[in-house]
Amino acid sequence: MFDFIRANQLDIMLVLCVCCTLIAFLLLITRFLPPKRKWILINLQLIAVLLLGFDRAAYIYSGDTSDVGYVMVRLSNFVVFFMTSNIMLGFNLYLIDLITNEGKVDVIPTRMKLVNVGAVIGMIMVIISQFTGLYYTFDDNNVYQRGPGFLVCYFFPVILPIMQYSVIHKYRKVFSRLVFTSLVLYIVVPVMVGIIQIFTYGLSIVNMSLVIVTISLYIFAYLDINDEVERAHGIEIANLQKERSSMKNLFEQTASAIVTAVEKKDDFSQGHSMRVADYAKKIARESGKSEEECDDVYHAALLHDVGMIGIPDDLLSKDTGLSEEEYEIIKKRPVISGEILSSIREYPFLAEAARYSYEKYDGTGYPDGLKGEEIPEISRIISVAGAYDSMSSRKRFREPLPYQIVREEFIKGAGAQFDPVFSEIMVNIIDSENKETEYDITETESEIECGSYRDRISSGIPVVSEITRITFRSVPIKNDEKSFYAPSMILFDSYDKRVHDNEKSIKAYSYIEYGEIWFNGHNISTNARNIKTIKNESINESEAGLNNNSDVGESYEIIAARLGDHMKITTKCATHKVETIIALPDKSKSSYIALTGENCRIFDIIVAKTDEKVKEADIPRIVETISFTNRMESDLPNIQSDGHRTAMTRGVDVKNGTRLEFHTMSLPSANLVWNCPFIILFYSDDKTIGGEGYLEYAVIKLNGEVSGNDAVANNNSVIKRDDGFPGWDVWKTANKKGMECRVDFIVEKNKIILFTENFGISIENTTTILDGTDVCYVALTGDQVAITDIRIS
């Protein structure tokens, strides 16, 4: 390396001089530094130019015995030695400026003053050496020679930087990381190079290193300013975001306050707009909107119904149906909302979204009868969110609709009342929020009090294949001999897991009561196919194994389990142990136990599900299995799926041109549009759904629902209801009667295109398998459906 420097030393010096000159010019025109600091840095760059420029001249004129050479050699060496101390003085001034301004130090440290004095002494010593030859002399050939006191000239360049470093270290927390690095480099590099210089005669590496670190002062100062600007910008952005967030919160709080005040007009509307806004934002987010767009949707939904303020209170609180004139007044609500919000000129979308939030996708809405994408997108989102909250909330004239009914309304209304895209998103949202678990006891009460029979009934406790144990205590309310006292249970199924007794709610919640059971073995069969007591033993308290205490009531125990369409319930009380078998109408129904009684308080209700599954031998059959698969069997065995995907065919290879044909019939218990066949595209090692290595690519329901695992496949579907579609009620009736179906496949590499048309609903779905595999299987399953005569071609 030293050979390279020796060979190119003059060129390196020239380049460094040019760099320092350019930096001095840049500093002259810069405005980002304090004036004093800027001039100190300019001075340092100019000193560096003089130092290295004259050092270069000293080498050029060395050995030149002409008059010019004589003068230039002596002048150059003088300037070099003089500027070496001068540059230390300039750096010391820079350091003092940093400490006094950045560190807010009022008194200049003594060491810094000593450095100033030492630098001046160093310059004086250079002047003295010109007359004494202390540092250097020149021979007859006009060549520089080290003097007897040459090492003395290194005293100040070594000692003074050490003193400066001690100050830098003391005030290190004052400086930024970049500035601190530049200061340390300025001290350490020349000192280290100075030591090397002692042993490398003929090279000016100290001077070059001084110039390089002087240049680094500017570079690091510039980088530090950049960091400071970025920090300031970040703080400014944070403050702006905070201010914006505050303004947003203020707007939301103001809007919420206005909406709350408006909704006070109707008890059953309170909280409606807030819930609609929350769901509208969820729909927007799921549809891929940015966070800013989601906020716009939220605010528009929050304020969409402020027009309620212009509707007479007596119409909003009317229990009976509206007359035609009254309905026309109600239809003005979105128009009034739009007029009110039009005054918010900063956000014109608020008025537009509110005005058209009651339009329907098929053009049958109001106020303007817009159709399809003529309706603003935010309004279409609000329409879906508003309908969901309306259906799932309690109204003056009804209880909240069950999840199944709400879900079905969105499926039936997609493309008619609702935008099909946002309707599908809403279905996915409510599916995720209402995932039907096989066992949920969170709503089970711990205590109920019954006066007359069935005037209080607990919520339903699920009866499943795992054995469930229910215990409670009971005491009579009227403790006299004339009053009958007995707890009992109701066996039933309903969408909301509660017992219903009026015709409207029975229909709405698809309520079916199987029967009632008492603890003495008495039972009543309502809609069960049969209820049979297989054991009724009279026992005493010790045999019952229950902790009975007259002071705290009698203890009761129910042990229940289910297998297919049969339930077994074992009851224990102080006097009886009874085993009862209940044959349900079919396997498709759920089953619940609700506690009730007469003239009794039932308390300390505890429900515990065990991990023990009931065995087939544990529940004797008392009626024959109902099967709807007694039809022709073709290429695959017939299946009957009594519940959601409870039975399925084996997988069939999907090839280009594959065709599936089969007969389908919804079970008599089916009453929802998705009680139909499902087509599953999948892969597994053994060609079975759920088998080893299972990947599910698509689930296509014949009612037009399509879903899949986005991690393994993309599904793009086109669902159409043509002129032959008779409406959903007729469609469901046709499914119950039974119909023939055909499914065709086209395979293009990793794409599988499926076509099917059934009773006016046509489905074209393209499944793109992301892992690029060319192996895919198809299987049939469904929900409350029998699939027979399955043919493959």
Side-chain angles (χ1 to χ4, degrees), residues 157-198:
V158 172
I159 298 303
L160 298 185
I162 293 173
M163 294 173 65
Q164 289 172 327
Y165 179 77
S166 68
V167 176
I168 292 169
H169 182 74
K170 179 179 179 181
Y171 293 97
R172 63 188 180 279
K173 293 184 179 179
V174 170
F175 311 119
S176 70
R177 177 179 56 83
L178 289 170
V179 170
F180 178 74
T181 301
S182 70
L183 296 177
V184 172
L185 288 175
Y186 201 94
I187 297 297
V188 173
V189 172
V191 170
M192 293 177 62
V193 174
I195 295 171
I196 298 171
Q197 176 77 74
I198 296 173

Side-chain angles (χ1 to χ4, degrees), residues 408 495 510 589 667-673 675 732 736 784:
E408 185 177 54
Y495 288 150
S510 195
K589 297 295 183 184
L667 303 185
S669 58
N671 55 10
L672 297 167
V673 294
N675 295 148
K732 287 194 287 187
K736 282 196 175 184
Q784 297 191 42

Side-chain angles (χ1 to χ4, degrees), residues 565-623:
D565 57 356
H566 276 54
M567 273 199 301
K568 181 180 179 181
I569 294 178
T570 303
T571 60
K572 283 185 186 179
C573 62
T575 58
H576 287 82
K577 177 180 179 182
V578 181
E579 293 182 7
T580 306
I581 305 296
I582 302 95
L584 304 177
D586 55 52
K587 296 178 182 178
S588 67
K589 297 295 183 184
S590 297
S591 48
Y592 301 94
I593 293 174
L595 300 178
T596 186
E598 182 176 354
N599 184 35
C600 63
R601 182 168 71 92
I602 299 172
F603 59 98
D604 290 348
I605 302 171
I606 299 174
V607 181
K609 177 190 170 190
T610 70
D611 294 328
E612 184 182 354
K613 276 187 174 284
V614 68
K615 299 180 180 63
E616 202 165 329
D618 296 333
I619 304 181
R621 295 197 65 84
I622 58 175
V623 296

Side-chain angles (χ1 to χ4, degrees), residues 175-429:
F175 311 119
S176 70
R177 177 179 56 83
L178 289 170
V179 170
F180 178 74
T181 301
S182 70
L183 296 177
V184 172
L185 288 175
Y186 201 94
I187 297 297
V188 173
V189 172
V191 170
M192 293 177 62
V193 174
I195 295 171
I196 298 171
Q197 176 77 74
I198 296 173
F199 306 101
T200 53
Y201 185 77
L203 290 178
S204 290
I205 53 177
V206 170
N207 292 339
M208 284 190 283
S209 68
L210 275 171
V211 172
I212 290 171
V213 293
T214 300
I215 292 172
S216 75
L217 287 180
Y218 168 78
I219 293 172
F220 280 98
Y222 182 79
L223 293 174
D224 182 60
I225 290 296
N226 278 350
D227 282 357
E228 191 63 35
V229 169
E230 285 183 6
R231 283 194 295 272
H233 180 68
I235 293 170
E236 184 179 1
I237 292 298
N239 289 335
L240 286 173
Q241 289 175 339
K242 185 177 179 181
E243 184 179 348
R244 183 179 178 183
S245 178
S246 298
M247 292 296 293
K248 177 185 169 185
N249 291 337
L250 178 61
F251 177 80
E252 287 181 3
Q253 291 166 10
T254 304
S256 298
I258 293 170
V259 167
T260 300
V262 170
E263 290 179 344
K264 289 288 184 183
K265 289 167 64 71
D266 178 19
D267 292 341
F268 291 90
S269 294
Q270 292 183 24
H272 168 72
S273 295
M274 188 71 75
R275 294 190 298 270
V276 172
D278 287 337
Y279 279 107
K281 189 172 184 177
K282 286 182 181 179
I283 294 170
R285 185 176 288 121
E286 289 298 317
S287 67
K289 304 292 182 192
S290 68
E291 198 58 32
E292 185 176 351
E293 290 172 318
C294 290
D295 287 340
D296 289 346
V297 170
Y298 176 87
H299 296 138
L302 184 64
L303 292 166
H304 83 284
D305 233 2
V306 294
M308 185 191 297
I309 199 169
I311 305 300
D313 293 357
D314 59 335
L315 290 186
L316 293 173
S317 59
K318 193 169 183 180
D319 291 325
T320 57
L322 298 171
S323 67
E324 189 174 334
E325 292 79 10
E326 289 171 334
Y327 185 56
E328 288 301 318
I329 294 173
I330 292 291
K331 286 165 65 175
K332 292 179 181 178
R333 182 160 60 179
V335 177
I336 298 170
S337 297
E339 290 172 351
I340 292 172
L341 297 175
S342 64
S343 60
I344 307 177
R345 295 183 179 85
E346 190 71 21
Y347 304 110
F349 66 87
L350 294 175
E352 182 183 64
R355 178 179 177 87
Y356 301 115
S357 59
Y358 285 84
E359 298 286 0
K360 294 183 180 180
Y361 200 75
D362 60 3
T364 60
Y366 60 87
D368 298 330
L370 300 185
K371 184 177 181 180
E373 296 193 4
E374 294 174 356
I375 306 168
E377 187 177 49
I378 296 180
S379 300
R380 284 179 269 145
I381 293 174
I382 294 172
S383 174
V384 171
Y388 174 72
D389 184 70
S390 180
M391 288 188 282
S392 60
S393 300
R394 184 170 175 264
K395 297 297 181 184
R396 182 173 284 101
F397 49 87
R398 63 159 172 80
E399 293 297 314
L401 295 179
Y403 150 72
Q404 294 89 338
I405 297 299
V406 174
R407 186 183 193 279
E408 185 177 54
E409 287 301 313
F410 279 111
I411 292 170
K412 291 160 66 174
Q417 181 177 349
F418 309 116
D419 182 307
V421 174
F422 299 132
S423 178
E424 182 182 356
I425 291 172
M426 190 72 245
V427 168
N428 292 335
I429 290 172

Side-chain angles (χ1 to χ4, degrees), residues 99-172:
I99 292 172
T100 53
N101 286 283
E102 306 297 330
K104 309 298 181 184
V105 176
D106 296 327
V107 180
I108 299 173
T110 302
R111 280 166 291 179
M112 305 301 291
K113 294 178 181 178
L114 290 175
V115 170
N116 285 341
V117 172
V120 171
I121 292 173
M123 289 184 279
I124 293 172
M125 290 292 291
V126 171
I127 295 172
I128 292 172
S129 73
Q130 302 304 302
F131 303 99
T132 62
L134 178 66
Y135 289 165
Y136 56 85
T137 59
F138 300 96
D139 60 18
D140 294 338
N141 294 319
N142 202 27
V143 175
Y144 167 92
Q145 299 292 332
R146 288 179 176 178
F150 172 77
L151 292 179
V152 176
C153 75
Y154 279 92
F155 174 80
F156 294 108
V158 172
I159 298 303
L160 298 185
I162 293 173
M163 294 173 65
Q164 289 172 327
Y165 179 77
S166 68
V167 176
I168 292 169
H169 182 74
K170 179 179 179 181
Y171 293 97
R172 63 188 180 279

